[in-house]
Every structure is written in structure tokens, then in C-alpha cells.
Amino acid sequence: MAVDYKLYDESRLADVARLNLDLAAEHLDLEEGLRDILRSGQREFIVHFPVEMDDGRLKMFTGYRVQHSLYRGPAKGGLRYYPTLDLEDVRALAALMTWKCAVMNLPFGGAKGGVQCDTKQLSQEELERLTRRLTWEIAPIIGPNADIPAPDLYTDAQTMAWIMDTYSMFKGYTVPGVVTGKPVELGGSLGRDTATAQGCVYAIREAIEVLGMQEGAHTVAVQGFGKVGYHVARLAQKCLGLKVVAISDTGGGVYNRSGLDLELVLGHKLETGSVTGTPGTDRITNEELLELPVEVLVPAAIENQIRADNAERINARIVAEAANAPTTATAGKILDERDIFVIPDILANGGGVTVSYFEWVQNTQKLFWSEDDINRRLDSIMTRAFHEVLQTARQNKARLRIGAYILGVQRVARAKQLRGIFP
Ligand code: GLU
């Protein structure tokens, strides 16, 4: 029976993830029981804990870690600190990690976690206490062979350093491989901080080639100025010679038809806290940025940005989803009907977890690779994954996102089938 989009509430991340899985399952001969296993996820851990604030008050926080699957290896995925984070979101994001790791063909399952909090309201000391206590709470279920957290929204290398230290205290010896995305001085990998962006740029390069768009000066608009957005813009310019005409942060965006001076935008952001107001640029809203006439649009912020209500106005030839779930499934269908080439999140931003994998391997082997080596290996994995997804999509006469899900789901389903049901 054909999937009925109306039965899903696409403003909910959980429904978007489930809908994509169900659309892929239409092409796969999965028995109902196996489909239920893949839908359900394996483990969910919720913790409530107090943190002492700087003024001496105690405040309760809620943390999550969901291990969606461990069938292909240890669970893997980021930790997000976000004001509205809840179990449903974490569940959906953990499932995305399962499919992403499988699409990239990494020997990992999928996980996600985090804390419901607003990092902008917390001091560095409060953040450290929160992170250390969260680590202590989830220590029983994480570990280099069990579940390996990494940065995500509003967490970074420093957060990973605190987790690594706390976990190591708990064990009595240093365990670098318990997290990835650490500072390089603590066993982090070269190139990890720019890996999501670099991988996305490799995918854009392949898309440009597949679409025969090598000729001409192409323009790019990037939504987001976090760990990913700025680097996508910088690397798209540096590696592909594309012209970045717009970029934004939560306060709004900047636009210049002749191209932005990214150093200037970065300087302005560091000085004032926002990209808006950078000299020589026009101010635009985040919504306007998405609708600009450009060759490449990169949503690199948060989920649910391209929806049924604005998909008709997207004016790009390629949409590269550097963020997780920026496009709803219905919007994806509209973009497809309008012949816009969407590189789906579980492929476009797979570079981050791929270099996390490299970091984990280096930690395990206690042998470190050069940045050139990292980028060469990342390029080869991204390029392979891109063409496998494209081929799967073509074989199934489906759009790229469904192709990516088919590929990922098939790999996880096969692993589960081979392992069998216990007992
Ligand atoms: N948070 C990133 C993602 O969503 C990276 C996860 C990782 O490196 O484990 O893909």
C-alpha cells in the first residue's frame, strides 16, 4: 500500500524520520517484523540530574541518550544541547545516525543524545559542571566499544574534552576513544572540525559534475554560521571556486550579489555576535536566504527549514543538506517535482561522522594520520557513497533521499538478518 503523507505530522522530526523510512521500505522487501525492529530503536536512557549554578542555586536538567541501533557496530552520534530537545527528537536523530553511518558504510550503529538547556544562558563553568554530571550519568552505556558521542548543535571540542576526562576518571585510565571531535591535543583527529563541511563540498562537487554544471560562475547561499555553515561557505569558495552570495546566523543573514568577503563577515560576527550589519552587505532574513536565486543552496542550521509552505519558492538548482533534516518529506517531493537536485542530509553531512570514524580508528591504533591523508580518505568515502546513493535512486526510480534511505536501511536490515534474533 502506498505511503499516505497525510498520516504524518511533518512538523515533528520523529514523523519526518519515520516517513522517510516508510517511503524507502516501499522499495524493499522487508518483512513486517524486521521493519518494526528498524522503526523501534534499541535503547533509550533518560537522566534527571542537578547542577549547581554560579549563584549557588541548584537546577535540575534532563539528559537523553538513545541508541537506535548497534547491529553494525558501536552506537555513534552527537550530543546536542538545545532548549526544546526532547526524547522524540533524540529518537529521530538517533535513527538518522543509523542510516547515515550505513550510507557511509561505517562499522557503526546510530545514537544521539543531549540535554534540554540553553547554552546562551549558561556560563562556561556551569556548562562544564553540566557536561561532567551528564557524562557520569550516561557512563554506564557509553564507551569506545559501546557508544561514542561527538559534537552536535551547541556542543564542541571542549565539551568532548570534559566528557573524555570525566569518563577517564570514572575508569581510572585515559580513554580517548570514548568520544570523537576532541581537541587534537587530546587525541582528536586533524580535519574533524571542518569534516562535515568538507564532505558536503565533495558531495556538491559530484552533484555539479553529474548535472553537467562544470562551466560557469555558480553562486551559493548558506543558512547557518555554526561549526558547519561558515566552513561550507569557505571551502565551496576555496575548493570549487563558487561565489558565496549569502550567509546567515540565528539573527538574520547578509547578501551581496557580487560575492561576500567571508573574512570580513567572520570578523563582524566575532566582534558583534551577528553577521548582520557586515559592511557592504544587505540584510536579509533566514527565510529570504532560502529563496534566493542561486545554483547551490546549503541549509546548514537546524531542521524543518524547507517545508511544504516554502518549497515552491526555493530557487536553487542543488540543495545540499548540511544540517540534519532541514527539509520535510513533502517539501522534498515538491523539490523533486521541480527538478531540484537534493543531496539528502544522511549523505551530504556524512563527512562529520566519517572523520569521527577516522578519529576512533586512530585512537584505537594509537597511530595518527596527516590532514592530507584524512581529506583523501574522506573524499574517497564521500564520492563512493554519493555514487552508490545515486545508483540506488536511479535503480529504484526514486529521488536521492529515498535512494539513500534504501541503501542505508538495506545494509542495516541485512546485518540484523545475518545476526538473527536472540534467543
Ligand atoms: N553530530 C554529527 C552528525 O549529526 C556528527 C556525529 C558523529 O561524529 O558521531 O552527524
Side-chain angles (χ1 to χ4, degrees):
M1 215 168 48
V3 171
D4 180 359
Y5 283 62
K6 286 197 276 315
L7 298 177
Y8 303 78
D9 173 1
E10 292 198 62
S11 63
R12 292 169 54 195
L13 202 48
D15 274 28
V16 174
R18 203 159 51 83
L19 175 50
N20 284 322
L21 172 59
D22 290 347
L23 287 169
E26 282 190 315
H27 297 265
L28 293 167
D29 194 17
L30 293 181
E31 55 165 295
E32 198 49 40
L34 187 55
R35 196 197 286 205
D36 282 347
I37 291 176
L38 300 179
R39 262 184 170 182
S40 306
Q42 277 189 266
R43 296 177 184 162
E44 299 180 345
F45 204 56
I46 306 181
V47 293
H48 306 284
F49 56 89
V51 176
E52 190 178 337
M53 298 288 105
D54 290 343
D55 62 6
R57 271 182 318 124
L58 289 182
K59 194 165 177 229
M60 286 303 290
F61 288 90
T62 299
Y64 307 93
R65 188 70 184 168
V66 171
Q67 298 173 347
H68 175 263
S69 79
L70 298 117
Y71 307 131
R72 288 169 43 92
K76 185 83 192 83
L79 276 179
R80 169 178 291 207
Y81 289 174
Y82 206 68
T84 57
L85 191 75
D86 63 14
L87 179 61
E88 260 205 12
D89 285 354
V90 179
R91 236 181 225 156
L93 291 162
L96 281 190
M97 287 308 303
T98 291
W99 316 132
K100 191 186 301 183
C101 290
V103 165
M104 305 312 293
N105 215 356
L106 309 176
F108 288 137
K112 201 77 162 202
V115 178
Q116 192 182 87
C117 67
D118 183 356
T119 55
K120 290 176 184 159
Q121 307 293 327
L122 297 170
S123 71
Q124 194 70 354
E125 291 71 25
E126 288 168 340
L127 266 179
E128 176 172 354
R129 287 195 289 276
L130 178 142
T131 302
R132 288 188 182 276
R133 178 62 188 250
L134 170 75
T135 309
W136 189 85
E137 297 285 344
I138 64 172
I141 61 159
I142 62 171
N145 297 313
D147 179 357
I148 308 133
D152 197 82
L153 288 182
Y154 297 101
T155 57
D156 57 16
Q158 178 60 71
T159 323
M160 297 305 118
W162 290 327
I163 297 176
M164 191 276 248
D165 182 69
T166 311
Y167 185 83
S168 300
M169 291 287 163
F170 183 82
K171 285 287 177 189
Y173 50 88
T174 298
V175 190
V178 64
V179 282
T180 58
K182 297 177 290 295
V184 172
E185 298 87 332
L186 291 177
S189 177
L190 293 170
R192 175 62 187 87
D193 51 347
T194 54
T196 308
Q198 184 70 69
C200 186
V201 167
Y202 290 141
I204 294 170
R205 179 196 64 199
E206 293 307 302
I208 286 178
E209 201 180 314
V210 163
L211 296 172
M213 290 167 54
Q214 293 94 323
E215 300 301 317
H218 297 317
T219 51
V220 193
V222 181
Q223 186 197 45
F225 204 83
K227 290 188 292 287
V228 182
Y230 169 69
H231 291 294
V232 172
R234 185 178 62 77
L235 294 168
Q237 201 174 55
K238 181 177 156 210
C239 306
L240 306 180
L242 305 187
K243 184 161 78 182
V244 183
V245 293
I247 196 158
S248 66
D249 57 29
T250 48
V254 284
Y255 176 61
N256 184 332
R257 214 157 48 112
S258 337
L260 295 171
D261 177 344
L262 290 172
E263 285 296 305
L264 195 67
V265 180
L266 178 64
H268 190 81
K269 165 94 180 166
L270 293 176
E271 213 176 283
T272 66
S274 175
V275 296
T276 58
T278 304
T281 66
D282 294 329
R283 189 182 180 134
I284 51 169
T285 64
N286 265 293
E287 292 71 36
E288 285 165 346
L289 181 142
L290 293 174
E291 298 170 15
L292 287 173
V294 286
E295 272 74 34
V296 186
L297 172 65
V298 185
I302 51 168
E303 54 268 7
N304 209 16
Q305 296 300 296
I306 305 178
R307 300 170 303 266
D309 59 287
N310 63 356
E312 291 289 356
R313 296 192 300 276
I314 301 299
N315 232 325
R317 181 75 193 89
I318 297 170
V319 174
E321 296 183 340
N324 284 318
T327 312
T328 65
T330 302
K333 195 162 156 247
I334 297 172
L335 297 183
D336 186 51
E337 283 157 10
R338 297 186 50 222
D339 207 22
I340 294 174
F341 192 90
V342 180
I343 314 173
D345 49 3
I346 56 174
L347 170 65
N349 71 36
V353 72
T354 301
V355 177
S356 274
Y357 164 62
F358 297 162
E359 181 171 330
W360 178 76
V361 169
Q362 293 171 84
N363 291 156
T364 309
Q365 297 185 335
K366 295 169 178 50
L367 181 73
F368 286 88
W369 308 343
S370 70
E371 192 158 357
D372 275 356
D373 223 1
I374 304 274
N375 284 332
R376 204 171 31 77
R377 289 173 193 260
L378 173 62
D379 192 354
S380 118
I381 291 184
M382 273 315 293
T383 306
R384 185 191 65 203
F386 181 95
H387 289 282
E388 282 176 345
V389 166
L390 185 65
Q391 199 187 3
T392 310
R394 283 181 176 162
Q395 276 165 356
N396 286 277
K397 298 191 176 35
R399 62 198 130 101
L400 232 51
R401 183 186 319 281
I402 308 305
Y405 270 79
I406 294 171
L407 185 67
V409 171
Q410 217 165 16
R411 284 181 175 154
V412 179
R414 182 73 186 133
K416 184 61 193 151
Q417 257 163 351
L418 287 167
R419 288 180 69 151
I421 304 297
F422 173 85

